[in-house]
Amino acid sequence: MITVHTSGIQHLIPVAGSLLESLEKSSVPVMSHCRSGFCGACRVKVKKGTVEYFDTPIGFCNDDEVLPCVCKPTNNLEIEVR
């Protein structure tokens, strides 16, 4: 499961493909553009847990952020979507 914090609301959503696909399928609004780890538009802050990348991301993200378009959770994940 993925715990998502957005606009002061907490959502529990199932894993369904990439992290970005999981967010979209659960109607959690998240910005995205390239969908290939290049632009960094979709980055989210990780509060707890880890992810596994399908491809090495090129887009910028801080140490506590991930690019959901090219990763999936490896365990229970808690993220903050801006």
Side-chain angles (χ1 to χ4, degrees):
M1 287 300 266
I2 305 166
T3 304
V4 181
H5 299 274
T6 181
S7 302
I9 300 170
Q10 180 175 307
H11 310 270
L12 290 175
I13 65 171
V15 176
S18 72
L19 180 53
L20 180 60
E21 291 168 335
S22 299
L23 293 166
E24 291 173 337
K25 287 177 183 175
S26 296
S27 300
V28 175
V30 61
M31 182 184 282
S32 66
H33 184 66
C34 73
R35 304 183 80 84
S36 62
F38 182 74
C39 72
C42 64
R43 72 178 180 236
V44 297
K45 183 176 181 175
V46 174
K47 298 180 93 174
K48 291 182 187 172
T50 57
V51 299
E52 173 182 49
Y53 280 100
F54 308 128
D55 294 315
T56 303
I58 297 170
F60 172 79
C61 54
N62 292 312
D63 292 339
D64 62 346
E65 296 174 324
V66 296
L67 299 181
C69 64
V70 289
C71 71
K72 67 177 182 179
T74 57
N75 53 23
N76 289 334
L77 184 66
E78 187 172 338
I79 61 172
E80 182 178 323
V81 177
R82 297 178 191 98

